[in-house]
Amino acid sequence: MMRRRARPLLGTLVEVRAQGASATAFDVAADAAFDAMAQVHALMSFHEAGSDVRRIARARAGERLAVHPHTAAVLARAQRWARASEGAFDAGCAPQAVARGWLPAPEDAAPPGNLPFEQALEVDGHDVRVHAPVWLDFGGIAKGYAVDLAVARLRRAGVHTGAVNAGGDLRVFGTLEETVLVR
């Protein structure tokens, strides 16, 4: 039997599904999966004033900030993708999104500098050294990271087959098959 639950998170409706788990086991596993995704939202949301992303936006050149290991991991990955794509992947795109009205302007942030985010920030373990102010939007990478964390939590809770769908960021595991339509 396929069990499913959904919750609004990460700016979308997140669905967790599992096959073969009892109702009680699924509820515990789903709660753990949703908790992991909520943590990513709290840490990496441009909208949340207390998030690591907004703390980075408030930082001035020369500051060093301690961030959560998840934030450091996503930032390091975003920097690798930016370099590998020669800037086509740009987590430092928040100023352009604000200018277009897609994101609200953060009133508490330092004005962004002109350096690409992969040069403006240096990740050292769980610390971020700020070389120039930067506004980050992890919308292109954090949801996928959150989905991976949610699947890991489901598996640790004993779920062998299931799926997590965060508005199109989809991961299926075990023997479950999913048809994906692409426009």
Side-chain angles (χ1 to χ4, degrees):
M1 168 184 216
M2 182 66 72
R3 301 193 186 280
R4 60 182 68 214
R5 282 183 42 201
R7 185 179 293 174
L9 285 166
L10 302 165
T12 190
L13 188 62
V14 176
E15 181 187 43
V16 173
R17 290 180 279 151
Q19 198 168 37
S22 71
T24 302
F26 174 68
D27 283 343
V28 169
D31 285 344
F34 287 131
D35 288 348
M37 297 187 88
Q39 182 183 36
V40 169
H41 175 84
L43 292 169
M44 299 180 217
S45 173
F46 187 79
H47 302 279
E48 299 292 331
S51 74
D52 283 348
V53 165
R54 283 289 288 282
R55 288 189 320 109
I56 291 168
R58 287 191 293 272
R60 307 270 189 236
E63 285 188 53
R64 187 177 186 98
L65 304 172
V67 296
H68 192 278
H70 291 318
T71 306
V74 169
L75 179 56
R77 288 177 186 172
Q79 288 178 321
R80 280 195 306 272
W81 279 110
R83 288 181 186 110
S85 70
E86 297 178 357
F89 179 86
D90 183 11
C93 65
Q96 292 86 355
V98 168
R100 289 183 175 107
W102 300 338
L103 288 175
E107 296 175 11
D108 60 348
N114 293 324
L115 280 180
F117 87 96
E118 63 273 18
Q119 295 172 17
L121 302 174
E122 179 184 340
V123 180
D124 181 16
H126 302 148
D127 288 344
V128 174
R129 178 168 300 195
V130 179
H131 298 296
V134 65
W135 293 0
L136 298 171
D137 178 4
F138 280 163
I141 193 170
K143 255 194 264 186
Y145 185 83
V147 167
D148 289 345
L149 288 178
V151 168
R153 293 272 180 99
L154 290 169
R155 287 182 172 218
R156 270 199 303 273
V159 174
H160 302 290
T161 299
V164 177
N165 186 351
D169 282 275
L170 171 69
R171 183 159 170 201
V172 177
F173 61 98
T175 59
L176 186 65
E177 292 183 13
E178 183 89 9
T179 299
V180 177
L181 302 175
V182 179
R183 267 195 259 185

